[in-house]
């Protein structure tokens, strides 16, 4: 019998992160599952979007991005990441970093080639490797500090390796890759002719003095890196779906073709407003990081007091926890119990691992939330004890 679904689509499940949001709505819980803010986006950016619609930026933008946004991206990439690029030839604006990553992988990977992924990983990277026909190779990040074993990583590179997916600051662990770690990865990329596809959307959300380093800024890596980013996390605009991929002109030409036929383009008025966002005063980023640090400290303390083992993050806005102490059979049962009985939604740890058994004792919390939301979650969690 013919099956209507493709073999490809049958190889991955629906997103557990997005599913948890729907379950949370059903139980009217506090959503610390899917990472998005519940506080307002900056007023001036919202005003800019309204203006852009009024000024009739309402038809397709140039498929790879409106000129004002590409100009703003290149200026910001120069001052924050220290890399000068040509906005005409090295940027593809996409529908969020999600599309930027899948368009990039589809533009570079041939079926059967290998893509290295650090694990635990942001859920999307699993299906991404399947959709582009790659064979994923997972490299463990070991708690509590989420370091990787250099020899294990070196052994994963071979002639079939096409790309390595990086995410720093990292979702779900909060790890911020150090210069030494990035140099070690870069040396392997240069030795084996491998592209680093690096998702840096949490680049401004850093704690305890951690510094963000873009692998593209390391010697020799500029033309072997695809740097992915978006306005979602930095400006609290996850629903706008405006992201981008920065790569050498040669790689960009391929990414633009895939992007064009997948989506044509991101919403034009929101791209125009995105250009205003990227020109925010530099103090904006300091305030952003400081406010996130307060949220992190608050939630980490609440979790610790409620009996969770907390892996304190140095960046991004998630806290990975170990829930062994609660005595549940697995992470999914625990997460369901938490949302159904206590009204707090989280993401089961297994969603971030290639093999569910590896995440069985873990649960991820997110904290891009108002103080009262975190307070409500803390009060509910206290009752767990
Ligand atoms: N990055 C967010 C998370 O990990 C969600 C992203 C999404 O759902 N598209 O929760």
């Amino acid at each position: 019998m013919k099956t209507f679904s493709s073999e490809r689509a049958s190889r991955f499940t629906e997103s557990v992160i997005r599913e948890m949001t729907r379950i949370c709505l059903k139980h009217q819980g506090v959503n610390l599952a899917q990472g998005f803010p519940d506080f307002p986006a900056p007023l001036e950016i919202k005003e800019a979007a309204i203006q852009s619609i009024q000024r009739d930026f309402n038809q397709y933008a140039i498929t790879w991005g409106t000129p004002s946004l590409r100009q703003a991206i290149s200026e910001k990439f120069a001052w924050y990441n220290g890399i000068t690029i040509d906005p005409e030839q090295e940027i593809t604006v996409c529908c969020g970093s999600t599309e930027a990553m899948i368009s990039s992988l589809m533009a570079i990977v041939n079926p059967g080639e290998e893509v290295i992924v650090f694990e635990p990983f942001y859920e999307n990277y699993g299906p991404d490797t399947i959709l582009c026909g790659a064979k994923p190779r997972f490299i463990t990040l070991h708690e509590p500090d989420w370091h990787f074993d250099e020899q294990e990583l070196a052994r994963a590179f071979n002639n079939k390796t096409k790309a390595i997916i990086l995410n720093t600051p990292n979702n779900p662990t909060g790890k911020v890759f150090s210069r030494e770690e990035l140099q070690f990865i870069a040396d392997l990329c240069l030795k084996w002719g491998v592209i680093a596809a690096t998702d840096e959307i949490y680049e401004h959300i850093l704690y305890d003095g951690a510094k963000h380093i873009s692998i593209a800024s390391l010697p020799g890596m500029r033309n072997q890196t695809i740097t992915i980013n978006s306005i979602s996390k930095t400006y609290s605009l996850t629903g706008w779906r405006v992201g981008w991929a920065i790569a050498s002109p040669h790689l960009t030409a391929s990414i633009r073709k895939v992007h064009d036929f997948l989506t044509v383009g991101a919403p034009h008025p929101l791209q125009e407003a995105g250009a205003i966002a990227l020109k925010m005063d530099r103090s904006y980023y300091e305030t952003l990081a400081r406010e996130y640090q307060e949220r992190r400290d608050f939630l980490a303390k609440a979790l610790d007091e409620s009996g969770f083992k907390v892996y304190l993050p140095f960046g991004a806005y998630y806290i990975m926890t170990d829930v062994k102490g609660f005595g549940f059979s697995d992470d999914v049962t625990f997460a369901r119990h938490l949302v159904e009985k206590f009204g707090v939604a989280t993401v089961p740890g297994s969603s971030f691992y290639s093999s569910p058994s590896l995440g069985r004792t873990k649960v991820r919390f997110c904290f891009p939330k108002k103080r009262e939301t975190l307070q409500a979650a803390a009060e509910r969690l206290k009752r767990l004890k």
Side-chain angles (χ1 to χ4, degrees), residues 17-18 33-35 98 122 124 171 202 233 241 318 364:
I17 297 177
R18 266 82 83 190
Q34 192 179 13
T98 295
Y122 169 49
N124 282 34
N171 173 9
Y202 302 100
K233 313 292 181 180
R241 314 314 299 135
Y318 307 95
R364 188 198 77 173

Side-chain angles (χ1 to χ4, degrees), residues 96-97 100 198 200-203 227-231 234 242-245:
S97 60
T198 171
E200 302 185 1
I201 57 168
Y202 302 100
E203 65 180 353
T227 306
I228 290 164
N229 215 316
S230 92
I231 60 171
T234 304
V242 177
W244 53 88

Side-chain angles (χ1 to χ4, degrees), residues 31-32 36 38-39 295 366-371 373-374:
N31 190 355
L32 302 191
F36 62 86
D38 72 347
F39 46 82
R295 294 182 188 111
C366 78
F367 55 86
K369 305 292 169 189
K370 293 185 205 133
R371 176 52 88 105
T373 310
L374 296 176

Side-chain angles (χ1 to χ4, degrees), residues 42-103:
L43 186 63
E44 55 269 56
I45 311 178
K46 292 191 282 195
E47 294 287 355
I50 294 164
Q51 284 297 316
S52 302
I53 291 173
Q54 300 285 18
R55 287 169 55 214
D56 250 321
F57 287 103
N58 293 318
Q59 312 308 326
Y60 303 120
I62 295 172
T63 171
W64 50 77
T66 198
S68 62
L69 178 57
R70 281 183 287 119
Q71 185 60 37
I73 292 168
S74 68
E75 283 166 19
K76 184 162 176 294
F77 204 48
W79 78 255
Y80 188 66
N81 310 77
I83 306 161
T84 312
I85 49 161
D86 177 2
E88 287 306 318
Q89 296 191 75
E90 296 184 289
I91 300 174
T92 310
V93 175
C94 295
C95 297
S97 60
T98 295
E99 195 236 322
M101 180 62 85
I102 188 65
S103 289

Side-chain angles (χ1 to χ4, degrees), residues 323 328-335 360-361:
V323 296
F328 280 76
S329 59
D330 63 76
D331 59 320
V332 176
T333 313
F334 180 75
R360 278 300 175 230
T361 64

Side-chain angles (χ1 to χ4, degrees), residues 55-354:
R55 287 169 55 214
D56 250 321
F57 287 103
N58 293 318
Q59 312 308 326
Y60 303 120
I62 295 172
T63 171
W64 50 77
T66 198
S68 62
L69 178 57
R70 281 183 287 119
Q71 185 60 37
I73 292 168
S74 68
E75 283 166 19
K76 184 162 176 294
F77 204 48
W79 78 255
Y80 188 66
N81 310 77
I83 306 161
T84 312
I85 49 161
D86 177 2
E88 287 306 318
Q89 296 191 75
E90 296 184 289
I91 300 174
T92 310
V93 175
C94 295
C95 297
S97 60
T98 295
E99 195 236 322
M101 180 62 85
I102 188 65
S103 289
S104 298
L105 292 175
M106 288 179 87
I108 61 173
V109 176
N110 295 304
E113 287 180 332
E114 297 183 7
V115 171
I116 298 173
V117 183
F118 287 104
E119 144 174 283
F121 52 85
Y122 169 49
E123 213 189 18
N124 282 34
Y125 306 150
D128 283 350
T129 58
I130 293 167
L131 288 170
C132 73
K135 179 169 175 269
R137 286 191 71 135
F138 298 98
I139 298 296
T140 310
L141 295 173
H142 300 275
E143 65 257 37
D145 60 355
W146 308 104
H147 68 276
F148 60 86
D149 181 287
E150 293 190 342
Q151 293 321 309
E152 187 192 352
L153 182 65
R155 278 196 304 272
F157 280 73
N158 62 61
N159 283 329
K160 283 200 179 143
T161 314
K162 193 56 165 289
I164 177 166
I165 297 178
L166 275 176
N167 174 213
T168 182
N170 185 259
N171 173 9
T173 65
K175 175 185 174 71
V176 178
F177 283 72
S178 70
R179 181 174 293 279
E180 293 68 36
E181 287 174 320
L182 291 172
Q183 189 62 59
F184 187 82
I185 297 165
D187 288 343
L188 287 168
C189 287
L190 294 169
K191 175 175 172 194
W192 292 98
V194 166
I195 293 165
T198 171
D199 174 348
E200 302 185 1
I201 57 168
Y202 302 100
E203 65 180 353
H204 288 287
I205 303 176
L206 298 162
Y207 311 114
D208 304 331
K211 292 266 178 301
H212 172 69
I213 296 163
S214 291
I215 194 167
S217 69
L218 300 187
M221 282 305 287
R222 194 184 177 294
N223 292 336
Q224 232 165 282
T225 302
I226 303 174
T227 306
I228 290 164
N229 215 316
S230 92
I231 60 171
S232 293
K233 313 292 181 180
T234 304
Y235 309 100
S236 305
L237 299 164
T238 62
W240 282 21
R241 314 314 299 135
V242 177
W244 53 88
I246 298 172
S248 66
H250 176 71
L251 281 174
T252 294
S254 296
I255 298 168
R256 285 179 175 182
K257 280 192 289 180
V258 176
H259 155 73
D260 187 7
F261 287 104
L262 279 180
T263 65
V264 179
H268 193 172
L270 305 184
Q271 292 191 46
E272 295 294 339
I276 306 294
L278 267 71
K279 293 197 176 115
M280 296 278 274
D281 195 87
R282 294 189 193 184
S283 64
Y284 170 82
Y285 305 99
E286 285 155 29
T287 308
L288 182 83
R290 194 183 58 247
E291 289 177 351
Y292 270 116
Q293 173 113 28
E294 285 164 16
R295 294 182 188 111
R296 180 204 69 165
D297 292 347
F298 178 85
L299 185 64
K301 185 161 173 283
L303 289 171
D304 179 59
E305 286 170 1
S306 301
F308 290 83
K309 178 173 166 41
V310 169
Y311 300 107
L312 201 64
F314 289 95
Y317 52 44
Y318 307 95
I319 298 182
M320 264 298 235
T321 63
D322 196 290
V323 296
K324 254 198 274 327
F326 295 104
F328 280 76
S329 59
D330 63 76
D331 59 320
V332 176
T333 313
F334 180 75
R336 284 205 173 261
H337 178 79
L338 212 55
V339 67
E340 286 167 10
K341 299 280 180 318
F342 294 85
V344 179
T346 58
V347 180
S350 52
S351 315
F352 305 102
Y353 288 89
S354 55

